[in-house]
Amino acid sequence: MPSHLSADRPAPQPPERDAVDALINRTRLLRGDVDAVRRDTSVIDDDNPQLRWQRALCELAVHQLDDLGEHLGQLRDGIPHPMAEEPTEEATTTTPAGPPTDSLLSRVGSAEWNLLTDEVSWSDELYQIFGRPPGAGALSLDELPSVLIAEDQPLLTSMVTDCLVDGRPIDGEFRILLPDGGMRTLHMMGEPVLDGDGCTASMWAVLRDVSRLRRSQHMMRRTRETLRRQEQTARTEHRMAAELRAAVLPTWRDSLQEPGRGTSGLDVAAHCLPPGSSDLIGGEWYDALPLPDGKTLLTVGDLTGHGIPATSAMATLIGALRGMAVAGVDPGAVLGHLNQLIECSAQPALGSAVCCRFDPEAGTLVWAQAGHPAPLLFRNGVGHPLPTPDGVLLGAASGVTYEQDQVALLPGDVLVLHTDGLTRQSRRDAGPDLLLGLASRFARARTAQDCVRTVLEELESDERLDDGACVLVACVEE
């Protein structure tokens, strides 16, 4: 049955694949243009600091465009299954302070340390990144580690040593503490500048504030990890709900057997049909139980909700229903007690149900319903719903009395009980009509299981169900 929370809200839609592909193509074209500029700057005299600065900016731009292309590719392809574990580095898990402005140039600064004269040259942007007034002067290579997070200081020392001693380029990240107590993550790229004798005369570097980028990456990883945990939880709950329902709902291969009495006079078969989304397991149920007095309980029902809460509540109701039926409680009174049980539950819900008791000796069916579709009676190739006695949804009101009715059944009659999950998306009232249209095929069927197969075949050729559904067929044996 549809949820009692009937407000329809459109589900959020993922971005269009074509639109993302267009962004990827534009990013690749831009990356090619920037790379061409980078190649042009690489053949110019390295003694010019301004040209080195331009080349470093191009390098950074190319790296970021590569990252952008990768992220857009992930956006297009969706979350991978299963998601790979990504290493968590402290340098990227701490949320840093934001950049001073939104301008790219304001987040990139340059510096050069002259080893011969001990002069240090910082760009205005670098002072801004470090939160340091220009009047305080630039930091020397010996002073620079003092503003780093303690655990990042060895990394900077190693990079500087490799650059000055071994002539290796610098390419790494570290975190700095600002005078106001904030923190930023900087990406440093640089290389040594050699004199005429091939000795290191100075070291230049470009430093970029990547705090916002690392914060976004951290948020992305955290979101992906949350989604991964949610998917694992959903799969586990789906499996547990499916196992619980399979353990509770009965199965039959032949006519129902009454202990010590032979058959019950009914050939019964039933089936739960999956919803349009295979991830949803609802509270639909069916049951048929031979009773000690020779009669037979037939019931179908549905609770709102999905997953373990719905299936566990369904299992509770089936257990209570069986107990009352074995004790000889009439169908109308059974529904009244089930209504009270739902009201007393820790997790109240709404439900619908039909409860029938068949007497094979008298050939009568006594039944009651709680906001549920009436059973369908098929006789001589013609079907119709049974007249419906009064009854409201389970859990909808307190102190409700459920009326019951009685109908005579003849050998060869086919009785079909179903939940209203048979309603399809395109035709909201198609459930009973769909089944009534199968009357001639039911008349030709030899067993109840054949009738159930007929229903399944009809549904497979049509649209998928909005929600799960149960169908129970009982054929009065001749």
Side-chain angles (χ1 to χ4, degrees):
M1 65 179 292
S3 170
H4 60 289
L5 300 176
S6 58
D8 292 328
R9 295 183 180 181
Q13 298 297 320
E16 292 292 336
R17 186 180 181 92
D18 291 343
V20 178
D21 281 335
L23 289 175
I24 293 175
N25 290 333
R26 290 164 60 185
T27 301
R28 289 173 179 171
L29 292 174
L30 180 59
R31 199 265 189 206
D33 293 340
V34 175
D35 192 44
V37 174
R38 180 184 62 171
R39 289 194 300 269
D40 291 340
T41 59
S42 64
V43 298
I44 303 177
D45 186 7
D46 283 342
D47 291 336
N48 189 325
Q50 181 66 28
L51 295 179
R52 293 202 305 267
W53 158 262
Q54 293 176 357
R55 185 177 67 216
L57 280 179
C58 290
E59 292 280 356
L60 287 172
V62 168
H63 290 166
Q64 295 308 311
L65 287 171
D66 287 340
D67 289 344
L68 177 60
E70 180 181 355
H71 294 161
L72 288 173
Q74 294 174 354
L75 178 64
R76 176 192 60 191
D77 299 334
I79 298 173
H81 297 281
M83 293 188 206
E85 288 288 337
E86 296 188 25
T88 302
E89 299 180 3
E90 184 66 23
T92 62
T93 56
T94 304
T95 301
T101 70
D102 289 333
S103 169
L104 174 63
L105 293 180
S106 68
R107 290 185 279 118
V108 181
S110 64
E112 184 165 3
W113 292 269
N114 192 310
L115 304 182
L116 303 179
T117 63
D118 290 332
E119 294 180 356
V120 182
S121 174
W122 275 20
S123 68
D124 293 339
E125 294 82 9
L126 194 58
Y127 281 103
Q128 191 176 21
I129 290 173
F130 276 79
R132 186 177 179 84
L139 295 174
S140 68
L141 289 176
D142 293 331
E143 297 170 328
L144 187 60
S146 64
V147 298
L148 268 66
I149 300 293
E151 59 191 86
D152 290 354
Q153 293 176 2
L155 173 63
L156 176 62
T157 301
S158 176
M159 289 193 302
V160 172
T161 301
D162 289 344
C163 179
L164 298 181
V165 176
D166 299 329
R168 297 179 182 175
I170 290 178
D171 190 351
E173 291 186 6
F174 51 81
R175 292 165 296 169
I176 63 171
L177 290 174
L178 301 177
D180 61 3
M183 184 174 62
R184 289 195 178 120
T185 301
L186 304 185
H187 181 216
M188 184 177 185
M189 296 180 62
E191 59 186 32
V193 178
L194 306 180
D195 59 16
D197 297 328
C199 299
T200 301
S202 63
M203 187 188 81
W204 70 269
V206 172
L207 294 94
R208 182 186 179 198
D209 178 6
V210 294
S211 303
R212 185 164 57 182
L213 175 62
R214 297 297 173 252
R215 181 172 54 199
S216 299
Q217 292 174 340
H218 170 61
M219 292 298 297
M220 181 187 68
R221 276 195 299 272
R222 188 168 67 179
T223 302
R224 290 181 61 180
E225 179 63 23
T226 300
L227 289 175
R228 188 172 66 87
R229 288 196 301 266
Q230 290 177 347
E231 288 179 350
Q232 291 176 341
T233 300
R235 286 194 295 268
T236 300
E237 291 183 351
H238 183 274
R239 175 180 55 80
M240 294 176 63
E243 291 175 352
L244 176 59
R245 186 169 70 172
V248 172
L249 299 184
T251 57
W252 308 278
R253 295 187 180 276
D254 300 301
S255 300
L256 287 181
Q257 299 292 318
E258 296 182 44
R261 298 194 181 191
T263 65
S264 64
L266 291 177
D267 175 25
V268 179
H271 187 80
C272 274
L273 298 99
S277 172
S278 59
D279 295 333
L280 301 177
I281 293 184
E284 307 89 9
W285 81 79
Y286 62 82
D287 197 13
L289 180 68
L291 302 176
D293 58 3
K295 301 174 183 178
T296 301
L297 167 71
L298 301 173
T299 179
V300 298
D302 190 7
L303 289 175
T304 54
H306 298 90
I308 294 178
T311 52
S312 59
M314 174 266 292
T316 299
L317 290 187
I318 289 182
L321 196 153
R322 289 173 177 173
M324 288 185 284
V326 169
V329 180
D330 290 336
V334 167
L335 294 180
H337 292 309
L338 291 182
N339 185 61
Q340 293 176 335
L341 179 60
I342 290 180
E343 290 179 353
C344 297
S345 299
Q347 295 180 339
L350 289 176
S352 68
V354 58
C355 180
C356 307
R357 186 176 63 197
F358 175 65
D359 184 348
E361 293 185 1
T364 57
L365 182 80
V366 178
W367 72 285
Q369 64 85 28
H372 199 86
L376 305 179
L377 177 60
F378 295 85
R379 180 178 295 167
N380 299 325
V382 179
H384 64 86
L386 296 180
T388 305
D390 291 337
V392 300
L393 287 171
L394 299 174
S398 302
V400 178
T401 298
Y402 291 88
E403 296 183 357
Q404 61 185 34
D405 198 5
Q406 178 175 304
V407 62
L409 297 183
L410 302 177
D413 284 352
V414 177
L415 189 70
V416 177
L417 281 61
H418 67 94
T419 60
D420 61 0
L422 287 177
T423 300
R424 294 169 293 172
Q425 295 181 1
S426 59
R427 293 163 53 194
R428 287 289 174 184
D429 58 349
D433 293 340
L434 172 69
L435 295 174
L436 291 174
L438 303 177
S440 60
R441 298 172 65 180
F442 287 163
R444 296 191 300 269
R446 293 180 297 177
T447 65
Q449 188 63 51
D450 289 340
C451 294
V452 171
R453 291 194 188 97
T454 298
V455 175
L456 298 181
E457 291 171 359
E458 182 68 19
L459 290 176
E460 287 177 356
S461 64
D462 213 319
E463 300 177 17
R464 303 190 73 177
L465 303 177
D466 286 351
D467 203 352
C470 286
V471 175
L472 183 147
V473 177
C475 299
V476 182
E477 296 181 330
E478 300 183 13

